[in-house]
Amino acid sequence: MDKMVYLFEEGNATMRDLLGGKGAGLAEMTRIGLPVPPGLTITTEVCRAYYRQAEKLPADLPALVRSALSVVEAKTGRRLGDKDKPLLLSVRSGAKFSMPGMMDTVLNLGINDDTLPGLAAMTGNRRFALDAYRRFLQMYADVVMGYSKHAFAALLEEKKRKAGVKLDQELSEAQLAEVVADYKQLYARLSDKPFPTDPFEQLMQAVEAVFRSWNTERAKVYRELHGISHDLGTAVNIQAMVFGNMGATSGSGVAFTRNPANGNKEVFGEYLVDAQGEDVVAGIRTPNPIAKLRQDMPGVYEQFIQVTERLEKHYQDMQDIEFTVEEGKLYILQTRNGKRTGQAAVKIAHDLAVEGIIAKEKALLLVEPAHLEQVMHRQVDESTPLQVIARGLPASPGAAVGRVVFSADEADRKHREGEKVILVRMETTPEDIHGIVAAEGILTSRGGMTSHAAVVARGMGKPCICGCEAVRIDYDARLFRAGELVVKAGDLLSLDGASGRVILGEVVMCDPELSPEYETLLRWADETARVKVRANADTPADAALARAFGATGIGLCRTEHMFMATDRLPYVQQMILAGTVAQREAALKHLLPMQEADFYGIFSAMEGLPVTIRLLDPPLHEFLPKEDEVLTSVLSLRLAGDQSRKLAEREALLAKIRELKEANPMLGHRGCRLGLTYPEIYEMQIKAIFLAVVRLLQEGKQVLPEIEVPLTVDKRELDACIARVHETARRVCADEGVQVDYLVGTMIELPRAALLADELAASADFFSFGTNDLTQTTFGFSRDDAEAKFLPHYLHQGLLAENPFAVLDRKGVGGLMKLAIAGGRSVKPGLLIGICGEHGGEPNSIAFCHEIGLDYVSCSPYRVPIARLAAAQAVLAGGAAGGGTK
Amino acid sequence: MDKMVYLFEEGNATMRDLLGGKGAGLAEMTRIGLPVPPGLTITTEVCRAYYRQAEKLPADLPALVRSALSVVEAKTGRRLGDKDKPLLLSVRSGAKFSMPGMMDTVLNLGINDDTLPGLAAMTGNRRFALDAYRRFLQMYADVVMGYSKHAFAALLEEKKRKAGVKLDQELSEAQLAEVVADYKQLYARLSDKPFPTDPFEQLMQAVEAVFRSWNTERAKVYRELHGISHDLGTAVNIQAMVFGNMGATSGSGVAFTRNPANGNKEVFGEYLVDAQGEDVVAGIRTPNPIAKLRQDMPGVYEQFIQVTERLEKHYQDMQDIEFTVEEGKLYILQTRNGKRTGQAAVKIAHDLAVEGIIAKEKALLLVEPAHLEQVMHRQVDESTPLQVIARGLPASPGAAVGRVVFSADEADRKHREGEKVILVRMETTPEDIHGIVAAEGILTSRGGMTSHAAVVARGMGKPCICGCEAVRIDYDARLFRAGELVVKAGDLLSLDGASGRVILGEVVMCDPELSPEYETLLRWADETARVKVRANADTPADAALARAFGATGIGLCRTEHMFMATDRLPYVQQMILAGTVAQREAALKHLLPMQEADFYGIFSAMEGLPVTIRLLDPPLHEFLPKEDEVLTSVLSLRLAGDQSRKLAEREALLAKIRELKEANPMLGHRGCRLGLTYPEIYEMQIKAIFLAVVRLLQEGKQVLPEIEVPLTVDKRELDACIARVHETARRVCADEGVQVDYLVGTMIELPRAALLADELAASADFFSFGTNDLTQTTFGFSRDDAEAKFLPHYLHQGLLAENPFAVLDRKGVGGLMKLAIAGGRSVKPGLLIGICGEHGGEPNSIAFCHEIGLDYVSCSPYRVPIARLAAAQAVLAGGAAGGGTK
């Protein structure tokens, strides 16, 4: 194996793979001369070796650690286990990708009965030494031995209760000494042997514990959630402890270089005087804003602000910094790119570029597609009355509505049952991760803006309100009180994460207002992207929304949605039930002006931009009631001896439903198959399109219609449909004396169409990939059936890496797309090709669409901004597999 | 245009495209010196030009015809329209592929009032001249003018009735002259002008009539049925008439060089003295066997026999020869490869090879796959009592059962309604073609072995009994009598075409006995073929049958068919309804020994040959009753106020059916998806397989099991299934202490499997193409829905050339197969690859399978011989698109 142990001064920022994010950061900070306590890093490679060797540390590791440690000892002038000047160490995990709170840490390692007096003497603070010892005992028992920390905590609580005090700090030295003794006794009872006194042995045990914590269930869940490989392993950072809990001139804090909730340019953080860092993050004491540091120690504050600016410039991104002040001296313990909300991500990326710290391209890469999704989260509609019952910290923005639950398990269970829930906890811990995943939003009564709940919720883009002390939770009674009000488990509650308001009942939500920074950033994206973004829209309202979100056209207008409208359905059913072509045409005559009006509205909304209209696609039986219902009513009428007209009508309807029934409607009588067997339906639609186009042209407007034939498998089929379009267009245009330019193309949504694309391209003006159906047929997965029956099992068992209906399957479906593009463009080099399946709005899939040379992606209006960003990122990724956060 | 008119002496046998089959034959016979009346051929190119030029003959055609005709006139010493020595002509169609009886002919052209005396004087037979004139008038009116021939025939019948005679020959000269006058009068009345007297004008009119007859409805139907292109066009042959109706030393006949029904080496034909050829074919007079010619004119007979031998050797195939004897002189009018039954095709091909006339390879090409299908037609089981009500000529073998109909239209209608019918007619004509297509078998009361019904039925491989005079048909009463017995329309009737027996009621049918020639021929096929033939068989009986038919293994054993057996279904349902894994395993425990016995039987039957067993494939709901039925019974019980256990049971069943219900079961929870989500089912099957294998090995038998995973789309899926197979095999084999060799492979039946074949091949020992499902997903056609709803429309409209479920789609499905083979063999060069879809038994598809390099095709046992032949023919076609009859 290569070098297993690095001193901080031996590494740098590029070594994340080997040293982990934290280790590389400490090395980099050391390299650029920041005040970092000295230390060393055991590489991730050692962790991988540990797992390869059946969870055994390499034999030569202790010697290497001991050797590096001697350098640290020399720098600090202290020695591990030394009676007079004992060195205390922190032992922390640090993987390549940050997994906040997921893995274990041991602090204050190096105290034992022997070193305690030395520590007390050295610091002049025996109380502090005892408290450090107590903390270490509890942490070691928990992390290294796996003993319940609650048993230890209970001893402390008992002591405080007996002493009649509330805070740890209020205990006397003697009382703390008793707690230490109690802890050691409890440890000995639990482990059947006394607490180990050799600090180096403790150190190696702690290292192994950190490696073990890589594979806990909660760490695995987190990695799966964030798409982090299980094979990376973690590094271990061993660092000289500095103490924030050495009195009034000491303290610990966590700060972001900019506001992680809204992106404002202000150092944003929290700080506790006389406390170790864990106290800030754990949410046990609600910390003070960073401004408090300015009051307490102006010089330290000034120095810290300079450090934050330097770090932000150095890393070209907003930083999340942990620091400690030990008796007036500032130490930087960690820096990393800070987690942020979508709103903040947009503002920070924009501002950093405008400030000249980063290039525009870098700014585009700083925003993740998921960030934009958050920005577009619907928000609380303020125009309706709201019953605000409490206010907490606005830890993560967005509005959430759900039913109150009080445990992560319950949140998870209800979520699986399809219920939306709000998780209400005093505080959250890494064990609650599955509950946070399951909840719509999180409310905690304790903890600050950097507490576990806040950090995790922001990372996931979930609304979160923290430190809402007005909420008094009673877990046993499964309720909370806010003033006089009692809210029980199962009650409906709304959160407004942007304002921190807790609202009783279900709020109305509305579209977000988008910031100028957002608009600028997406303009940059459009300048960078090659693939255009269109929208799927079936109504004038959707079309207008899509245009407002920056769509450059409509890539899919589904005419069947128009057929479903309540004023049309009766005519549609009349058309289906028609016994003759004449009856069918009579029904279609009613639909013609309605469809014309639809198209008129959509073309108007998209004036000057292309609009792809797909001819009717679904099987006719989708427009009739369900067989079950009709059968039930027929049987009921029959058994009731009904003789009326109604029974006969229902029977006729049932007969028609059965006539149209198909074994596999997905593969049945739909798409152009329908258009070719019932030509009068397509004829009506084509006529309606051209009547609308002609009207708009006569009004002096620009219209770019693209007519699309669905479900094609053969050139002859396509040609027959195209001939009908041309013929009908010719007739309408001749009647009106107007010249219309239009395109006629085809969906590529069945494997055969992809395989015979060269033939189809000879006839088609454009191709549009329908990757929903193409995925269904390529996999032989009926989406409805697969997602309900076996797909969850497949994903859980790792039989498939992704749900292919969410993320485009590059090998199978993508392989067919590549064949189709090559075939089509071999005949027509400039053939217009797009995608209109749901994948058109998914970043990883958009990156693929860019790579294979599509002209546009089309997605739902709300995903248009995300697609615009993803299209730009695909360019910046340089054609390699890109997009996403991995 | 190239040369439009060829004298017979200018052409040869290779010019079928240009001169048509008949023209090329006449030219070839002229070339080799046979006694052929002189003549000329107008090329098929002229016919195509005629249709290109809106049905106008080329302007210079008459001059070219006149010029060629002058050569014919010189050879015969007669001239068209000459008063003293008039030349009479026949004008016949002749397309590239024979379409017997489908197109028009005009005979005796050249007679008019002017030439009649000369013809009478020249032949010394005024009676003959008048009869020829009468025939010509009727034929010209029918063929050229389209007047009903029945109107003319009625005049003749009326004259015979008045004269009190039965046969045409019994009419006196004077009476015949009256008939001629009556005919001319009728013609003038129908056409409003007198009968045209210029013979050359008549000739050009007749030529055009022949061209027109290319595009009659019946000709089109025939071509569609036989897969002949509509674009070929027909040639026209104009030939000096010779007269078989010039008294006792004249006659006409039709003969095959071998027996077309059973293939025996004997000149087989029919002959009518003092008759023209049309009399033989029309079935109006029942002709004499050819042996009669030997008695009547031994010298001519001898000469004819020599000609038949010469022609058979020359054309290297059994010939169908038309001849006429004019006053003791033999003329050969036509020769062509004779239509034959399957049995005859096999024997003739075999015998020609054994006699050294052709090579074995040529013999293999002389038998069409459809011939073998006929040979394997089931036959009448003689062990059951048969009520034979009449006997006729055994015109085309095979047994048929159906309900009696008396018209082609009725046959067609009933057939469309799904009924099997026997068409009973006095005689059939080309207008009856759709009825013959629709019928199971044909029975005529008149006409011989070469009558229309006989020739057409043999061509189609349909059972036919001709000239069954014991059957007296009453069309008006819609019945026939056989002795005392009355058989009405709709009664069940059976025909035994091989023996000529007409049997009342429905006979039992049994497998055919296959001739030694058949066995030899298929042995030759096996020696030639590269692609092996396996069978799809699910039971020991089917396996034994397949082996008897020459299968080299089982390519698909579907285990679900075993689940459907009535003794198993209750356990299968119990397994499905199980609420827990334990309950499911209890039900499976019952199924295990049954499956083991199934596999034991199949392996035994196929000892020493490979057997591919596919693990359970269909969705579980296929084993439960239909939702409709259960819903109906639940509703009925509920409305009846039922309180019993039964209602609860039915409700539970209904709930389970609904739980398992899928939107698109074809793309649903089936195949290995089922095996992975309910692992205990596959485990039981695998265990049963290996228990059976071990038992056989212990008995000293050779077993070659190949276990097949259905519906794979990803390597991980396949690997999970393969791991289960290996694990279970290991356990069973370890328990029994036996070593088993086996393969584990996968179906390639979804596009993704084909596209990712390289990955799958890394895990699979073999591939088997499931082209039924692959066709469904490649086209997005649910077979059930497509064939019921839109596929007939597609085929009728020419939107698809073939039903892709019958004939493998080379471009789409075939394209995926090629990708899969290339992918699979890029990883494992020798990868075993087969096909087990229904296409595996279809000759055109087998040719494709040969071309793309499959190792075997697998088809139903009854198609194994056809596949063996097709596999050999694919080699002989040299890898080009081959097989079939086109």
Side-chain angles (χ1 to χ4, degrees), chain A residues 628 639 658 663-664 666-667 673 717 752 759 778-780 782 785 794 809 811, chain B residues 628 658 663-664 666-667 673 717 752 759 778-780 782 785 794 809 811:
Chain A
D628 270 21
L639 289 162
R658 287 184 167 167
N664 299 287
M666 227 294 296
L667 307 179
R673 299 162 196 174
E717 231 182 357
R752 196 172 193 269
E759 296 188 9
T778 302
F779 277 83
S782 166
D785 302 324
Y794 265 47
D809 162 50
K811 285 188 197 165
Chain B
D628 269 22
R658 287 183 167 168
N664 299 286
M666 226 294 295
L667 307 179
R673 298 163 196 174
E717 229 183 358
R752 195 171 195 269
E759 296 189 9
T778 302
F779 277 83
S782 166
D785 302 323
Y794 265 47
D809 163 49
K811 285 189 197 164

Short mmCIF file of all heavy atoms in Angstrom, two decimals, chain A residues 628 639 658 663-664 666-667 673 717 752 759 778-780 782 785 794 809 811, chain B residues 628 658 663-664 666-667 673 717 752 759 778-780 782 785 794 809 811:
data_model
loop_
_atom_site.label_atom_id
_atom_site.label_comp_id
_atom_site.label_asym_id
_atom_site.label_seq_id
_atom_site.Cartn_x
_atom_site.Cartn_y
_atom_site.Cartn_z
N ASP A 628 -65.76 -2.51 -14.85
CA ASP A 628 -66.26 -2.93 -13.53
C ASP A 628 -67.52 -2.20 -13.12
O ASP A 628 -68.51 -2.80 -12.70
CB ASP A 628 -65.22 -2.58 -12.46
CG ASP A 628 -64.27 -3.71 -12.25
OD1 ASP A 628 -64.17 -4.54 -13.17
OD2 ASP A 628 -63.63 -3.74 -11.19
N LEU A 639 -80.70 -7.75 -11.68
CA LEU A 639 -81.18 -8.51 -10.51
C LEU A 639 -82.35 -7.80 -9.86
O LEU A 639 -83.19 -8.44 -9.23
CB LEU A 639 -80.03 -8.71 -9.51
CG LEU A 639 -79.00 -9.72 -10.02
CD1 LEU A 639 -77.69 -9.58 -9.27
CD2 LEU A 639 -79.53 -11.14 -9.88
N ARG A 658 -66.61 -3.79 -23.84
CA ARG A 658 -65.99 -5.10 -24.02
C ARG A 658 -65.44 -5.28 -25.42
O ARG A 658 -64.43 -5.94 -25.63
CB ARG A 658 -67.01 -6.20 -23.69
CG ARG A 658 -67.22 -6.27 -22.19
CD ARG A 658 -68.14 -7.38 -21.79
NE ARG A 658 -68.05 -7.58 -20.34
CZ ARG A 658 -68.90 -8.30 -19.64
NH1 ARG A 658 -69.92 -8.90 -20.23
NH2 ARG A 658 -68.74 -8.43 -18.35
N ALA A 663 -56.19 -6.73 -24.35
CA ALA A 663 -55.36 -7.48 -23.40
C ALA A 663 -54.22 -6.59 -22.90
O ALA A 663 -53.89 -6.59 -21.72
CB ALA A 663 -54.82 -8.73 -24.06
N ASN A 664 -53.64 -5.82 -23.79
CA ASN A 664 -52.50 -4.96 -23.46
C ASN A 664 -52.66 -3.62 -24.15
O ASN A 664 -52.06 -3.39 -25.21
CB ASN A 664 -51.19 -5.62 -23.91
CG ASN A 664 -50.95 -6.94 -23.23
OD1 ASN A 664 -50.63 -7.00 -22.06
ND2 ASN A 664 -51.16 -8.01 -23.97
N MET A 666 -51.50 -0.79 -23.88
CA MET A 666 -50.28 -0.05 -24.20
C MET A 666 -49.78 -0.43 -25.60
O MET A 666 -49.19 0.38 -26.31
CB MET A 666 -49.22 -0.43 -23.17
CG MET A 666 -48.45 0.71 -22.56
SD MET A 666 -47.41 1.56 -23.72
CE MET A 666 -46.29 0.21 -24.14
N LEU A 667 -50.00 -1.70 -25.95
CA LEU A 667 -49.52 -2.21 -27.23
C LEU A 667 -50.69 -2.40 -28.19
O LEU A 667 -50.65 -3.25 -29.07
CB LEU A 667 -48.81 -3.55 -27.02
CG LEU A 667 -47.71 -3.59 -25.98
CD1 LEU A 667 -47.13 -5.01 -25.90
CD2 LEU A 667 -46.59 -2.62 -26.32
N ARG A 673 -52.46 3.94 -35.40
CA ARG A 673 -53.30 2.78 -35.74
C ARG A 673 -54.77 3.18 -35.71
O ARG A 673 -55.58 2.73 -36.51
CB ARG A 673 -53.06 1.66 -34.74
CG ARG A 673 -51.63 1.18 -34.74
CD ARG A 673 -51.26 0.40 -33.50
NE ARG A 673 -49.80 0.31 -33.43
CZ ARG A 673 -49.12 -0.19 -32.43
NH1 ARG A 673 -49.77 -0.68 -31.37
NH2 ARG A 673 -47.81 -0.22 -32.46
N GLU A 717 -47.09 3.36 -43.00
CA GLU A 717 -48.04 3.92 -42.03
C GLU A 717 -47.89 5.43 -41.96
O GLU A 717 -48.85 6.19 -42.04
CB GLU A 717 -47.58 3.39 -40.67
CG GLU A 717 -48.55 2.76 -39.82
CD GLU A 717 -47.90 2.35 -38.51
OE1 GLU A 717 -46.67 2.49 -38.26
OE2 GLU A 717 -48.67 1.86 -37.70
N ARG A 752 -39.09 -0.51 -33.20
CA ARG A 752 -39.00 -0.66 -34.66
C ARG A 752 -38.81 0.69 -35.35
O ARG A 752 -38.13 0.79 -36.37
CB ARG A 752 -40.23 -1.37 -35.21
CG ARG A 752 -40.00 -1.89 -36.63
CD ARG A 752 -41.15 -2.75 -37.09
NE ARG A 752 -40.83 -3.49 -38.29
CZ ARG A 752 -41.06 -3.06 -39.52
NH1 ARG A 752 -41.60 -1.88 -39.71
NH2 ARG A 752 -40.75 -3.81 -40.56
N GLU A 759 -35.61 4.86 -42.94
CA GLU A 759 -36.78 4.87 -43.82
C GLU A 759 -37.77 5.96 -43.41
O GLU A 759 -38.31 6.68 -44.24
CB GLU A 759 -37.48 3.52 -43.80
CG GLU A 759 -36.60 2.41 -44.36
CD GLU A 759 -37.35 1.09 -44.52
OE1 GLU A 759 -38.60 1.09 -44.37
OE2 GLU A 759 -36.70 0.09 -44.80
N THR A 778 -38.82 -1.24 -24.67
CA THR A 778 -37.44 -1.73 -24.69
C THR A 778 -37.20 -2.68 -23.51
O THR A 778 -36.57 -3.72 -23.66
CB THR A 778 -36.46 -0.55 -24.63
OG1 THR A 778 -36.72 0.30 -25.74
CG2 THR A 778 -35.01 -1.02 -24.69
N PHE A 779 -37.75 -2.33 -22.37
CA PHE A 779 -37.61 -3.18 -21.19
C PHE A 779 -38.70 -4.26 -21.15
O PHE A 779 -38.59 -5.21 -20.39
CB PHE A 779 -37.73 -2.35 -19.91
CG PHE A 779 -36.46 -1.67 -19.48
CD1 PHE A 779 -36.08 -0.46 -20.03
CD2 PHE A 779 -35.65 -2.24 -18.52
CE1 PHE A 779 -34.92 0.18 -19.63
CE2 PHE A 779 -34.48 -1.61 -18.10
CZ PHE A 779 -34.11 -0.40 -18.66
N GLY A 780 -39.78 -4.05 -21.90
CA GLY A 780 -40.94 -4.90 -21.67
C GLY A 780 -41.53 -4.65 -20.29
O GLY A 780 -41.99 -5.58 -19.63
N SER A 782 -44.42 -2.59 -18.38
CA SER A 782 -45.57 -1.70 -18.33
C SER A 782 -45.35 -0.81 -17.12
O SER A 782 -45.22 -1.30 -16.00
CB SER A 782 -46.84 -2.54 -18.17
OG SER A 782 -47.92 -1.74 -17.81
N ASP A 785 -47.66 -1.25 -14.11
CA ASP A 785 -47.51 -2.54 -13.45
C ASP A 785 -46.16 -2.65 -12.77
O ASP A 785 -46.05 -3.13 -11.64
CB ASP A 785 -47.67 -3.67 -14.48
CG ASP A 785 -49.02 -3.60 -15.18
OD1 ASP A 785 -50.00 -3.24 -14.50
OD2 ASP A 785 -49.09 -3.90 -16.37
N TYR A 794 -36.83 -4.55 -7.48
CA TYR A 794 -35.64 -4.53 -8.33
C TYR A 794 -34.65 -3.46 -7.87
O TYR A 794 -33.45 -3.69 -7.85
CB TYR A 794 -36.05 -4.25 -9.78
CG TYR A 794 -36.21 -5.51 -10.60
CD1 TYR A 794 -36.93 -6.59 -10.11
CD2 TYR A 794 -35.62 -5.62 -11.85
CE1 TYR A 794 -37.08 -7.74 -10.86
CE2 TYR A 794 -35.77 -6.77 -12.61
CZ TYR A 794 -36.50 -7.83 -12.11
OH TYR A 794 -36.62 -8.97 -12.84
N ASP A 809 -32.40 5.19 -19.52
CA ASP A 809 -31.50 4.04 -19.58
C ASP A 809 -30.58 4.20 -20.79
O ASP A 809 -30.98 4.02 -21.93
CB ASP A 809 -32.37 2.78 -19.72
CG ASP A 809 -31.58 1.58 -20.22
OD1 ASP A 809 -30.51 1.31 -19.64
OD2 ASP A 809 -32.04 0.93 -21.18
N LYS A 811 -27.93 2.53 -21.89
CA LYS A 811 -27.49 1.38 -22.68
C LYS A 811 -28.60 0.86 -23.59
O LYS A 811 -28.37 0.61 -24.76
CB LYS A 811 -27.06 0.25 -21.76
CG LYS A 811 -25.72 0.49 -21.11
CD LYS A 811 -25.30 -0.77 -20.38
CE LYS A 811 -24.19 -0.50 -19.39
NZ LYS A 811 -24.04 -1.62 -18.45
N ASP B 628 -64.27 -10.97 -14.43
CA ASP B 628 -65.69 -10.83 -14.78
C ASP B 628 -66.56 -11.87 -14.10
O ASP B 628 -67.58 -11.59 -13.50
CB ASP B 628 -65.87 -11.07 -16.28
CG ASP B 628 -65.76 -9.79 -17.04
OD1 ASP B 628 -65.16 -8.84 -16.49
OD2 ASP B 628 -66.26 -9.75 -18.18
N ARG B 658 -57.87 -8.91 -8.29
CA ARG B 658 -57.68 -7.48 -8.51
C ARG B 658 -56.28 -7.03 -8.09
O ARG B 658 -55.69 -6.15 -8.71
CB ARG B 658 -58.75 -6.69 -7.77
CG ARG B 658 -60.08 -6.85 -8.47
CD ARG B 658 -61.17 -6.03 -7.84
NE ARG B 658 -62.31 -5.99 -8.75
CZ ARG B 658 -63.51 -5.55 -8.41
NH1 ARG B 658 -63.73 -5.09 -7.20
NH2 ARG B 658 -64.48 -5.54 -9.28
N ALA B 663 -52.33 -3.69 -15.94
CA ALA B 663 -52.79 -2.88 -17.07
C ALA B 663 -52.35 -3.53 -18.38
O ALA B 663 -53.10 -3.57 -19.34
CB ALA B 663 -52.24 -1.47 -16.96
N ASN B 664 -51.13 -4.04 -18.39
CA ASN B 664 -50.57 -4.65 -19.60
C ASN B 664 -49.80 -5.90 -19.21
O ASN B 664 -48.57 -5.85 -19.07
CB ASN B 664 -49.63 -3.66 -20.30
CG ASN B 664 -50.33 -2.40 -20.74
OD1 ASN B 664 -51.09 -2.41 -21.70
ND2 ASN B 664 -50.09 -1.31 -20.01
N MET B 666 -48.73 -8.40 -20.62
CA MET B 666 -47.62 -8.81 -21.49
C MET B 666 -46.32 -8.16 -21.02
O MET B 666 -45.23 -8.74 -21.15
CB MET B 666 -47.92 -8.31 -22.91
CG MET B 666 -47.69 -9.31 -24.01
SD MET B 666 -45.98 -9.74 -24.22
CE MET B 666 -45.33 -8.14 -24.75
N LEU B 667 -46.43 -6.96 -20.49
CA LEU B 667 -45.25 -6.21 -20.05
C LEU B 667 -45.18 -6.17 -18.54
O LEU B 667 -44.65 -5.24 -17.95
CB LEU B 667 -45.32 -4.77 -20.58
CG LEU B 667 -45.55 -4.58 -22.07
CD1 LEU B 667 -45.61 -3.09 -22.41
CD2 LEU B 667 -44.44 -5.24 -22.87
N ARG B 673 -39.01 -11.82 -13.58
CA ARG B 673 -39.46 -10.86 -12.56
C ARG B 673 -40.22 -11.58 -11.46
O ARG B 673 -40.13 -11.24 -10.29
CB ARG B 673 -40.39 -9.84 -13.22
CG ARG B 673 -39.68 -9.05 -14.30
CD ARG B 673 -40.64 -8.35 -15.24
NE ARG B 673 -39.90 -7.97 -16.44
CZ ARG B 673 -40.43 -7.43 -17.52
NH1 ARG B 673 -41.73 -7.21 -17.57
NH2 ARG B 673 -39.69 -7.12 -18.55
N GLU B 717 -30.07 -9.14 -13.28
CA GLU B 717 -31.24 -10.01 -13.18
C GLU B 717 -30.86 -11.45 -13.51
O GLU B 717 -31.17 -12.39 -12.78
CB GLU B 717 -32.18 -9.53 -14.27
CG GLU B 717 -33.56 -9.28 -13.94
CD GLU B 717 -34.33 -8.88 -15.20
OE1 GLU B 717 -33.80 -8.75 -16.33
OE2 GLU B 717 -35.52 -8.68 -15.02
N ARG B 752 -34.27 -4.73 -25.02
CA ARG B 752 -33.10 -4.40 -24.21
C ARG B 752 -32.14 -5.59 -24.10
O ARG B 752 -30.93 -5.41 -24.06
CB ARG B 752 -33.52 -3.93 -22.82
CG ARG B 752 -32.37 -3.24 -22.08
CD ARG B 752 -32.86 -2.59 -20.81
NE ARG B 752 -31.89 -1.66 -20.27
CZ ARG B 752 -30.94 -1.99 -19.40
NH1 ARG B 752 -30.83 -3.23 -18.98
NH2 ARG B 752 -30.11 -1.08 -18.95
N GLU B 759 -23.34 -7.99 -22.65
CA GLU B 759 -23.28 -8.16 -21.19
C GLU B 759 -23.92 -9.49 -20.77
O GLU B 759 -23.40 -10.20 -19.91
CB GLU B 759 -24.01 -7.01 -20.49
CG GLU B 759 -23.33 -5.66 -20.74
CD GLU B 759 -23.91 -4.55 -19.87
OE1 GLU B 759 -24.71 -4.84 -18.97
OE2 GLU B 759 -23.56 -3.39 -20.12
N THR B 778 -41.09 -5.00 -30.20
CA THR B 778 -40.43 -4.20 -31.24
C THR B 778 -41.45 -3.37 -32.01
O THR B 778 -41.22 -2.21 -32.31
CB THR B 778 -39.65 -5.13 -32.19
OG1 THR B 778 -38.72 -5.88 -31.42
CG2 THR B 778 -38.91 -4.33 -33.24
N PHE B 779 -42.59 -3.97 -32.30
CA PHE B 779 -43.64 -3.24 -33.01
C PHE B 779 -44.54 -2.47 -32.04
O PHE B 779 -45.30 -1.61 -32.47
CB PHE B 779 -44.53 -4.23 -33.77
CG PHE B 779 -44.01 -4.65 -35.11
CD1 PHE B 779 -43.09 -5.67 -35.23
CD2 PHE B 779 -44.44 -4.01 -36.26
CE1 PHE B 779 -42.61 -6.07 -36.47
CE2 PHE B 779 -43.97 -4.40 -37.50
CZ PHE B 779 -43.05 -5.42 -37.61
N GLY B 780 -44.49 -2.82 -30.76
CA GLY B 780 -45.52 -2.28 -29.88
C GLY B 780 -46.89 -2.82 -30.25
O GLY B 780 -47.88 -2.12 -30.17
N SER B 782 -49.57 -5.68 -29.31
CA SER B 782 -50.03 -6.81 -28.52
C SER B 782 -50.67 -7.77 -29.51
O SER B 782 -51.60 -7.42 -30.22
CB SER B 782 -51.07 -6.32 -27.51
OG SER B 782 -51.76 -7.39 -26.96
N ASP B 785 -54.46 -8.23 -29.41
CA ASP B 785 -55.20 -7.02 -29.77
C ASP B 785 -55.01 -6.70 -31.25
O ASP B 785 -55.96 -6.34 -31.95
CB ASP B 785 -54.73 -5.85 -28.91
CG ASP B 785 -54.91 -6.14 -27.42
OD1 ASP B 785 -55.93 -6.77 -27.08
OD2 ASP B 785 -54.06 -5.73 -26.63
N TYR B 794 -54.43 -3.33 -41.59
CA TYR B 794 -53.07 -2.99 -42.03
C TYR B 794 -52.64 -3.85 -43.22
O TYR B 794 -52.04 -3.36 -44.16
CB TYR B 794 -52.08 -3.18 -40.88
CG TYR B 794 -51.80 -1.91 -40.11
CD1 TYR B 794 -52.84 -1.09 -39.69
CD2 TYR B 794 -50.50 -1.51 -39.81
CE1 TYR B 794 -52.59 0.08 -38.99
CE2 TYR B 794 -50.24 -0.35 -39.11
CZ TYR B 794 -51.29 0.45 -38.70
OH TYR B 794 -51.04 1.60 -38.02
N ASP B 809 -40.13 -10.37 -39.12
CA ASP B 809 -39.84 -9.03 -39.66
C ASP B 809 -38.33 -8.85 -39.71
O ASP B 809 -37.69 -8.64 -38.68
CB ASP B 809 -40.50 -8.00 -38.74
CG ASP B 809 -39.93 -6.60 -38.94
OD1 ASP B 809 -39.86 -6.17 -40.10
OD2 ASP B 809 -39.59 -5.96 -37.94
N LYS B 811 -36.36 -6.49 -40.97
CA LYS B 811 -35.74 -5.19 -40.71
C LYS B 811 -35.75 -4.83 -39.23
O LYS B 811 -34.75 -4.40 -38.69
CB LYS B 811 -36.50 -4.10 -41.47
CG LYS B 811 -36.21 -4.10 -42.95
CD LYS B 811 -36.83 -2.85 -43.56
CE LYS B 811 -36.96 -2.97 -45.06
NZ LYS B 811 -37.87 -1.95 -45.60
#
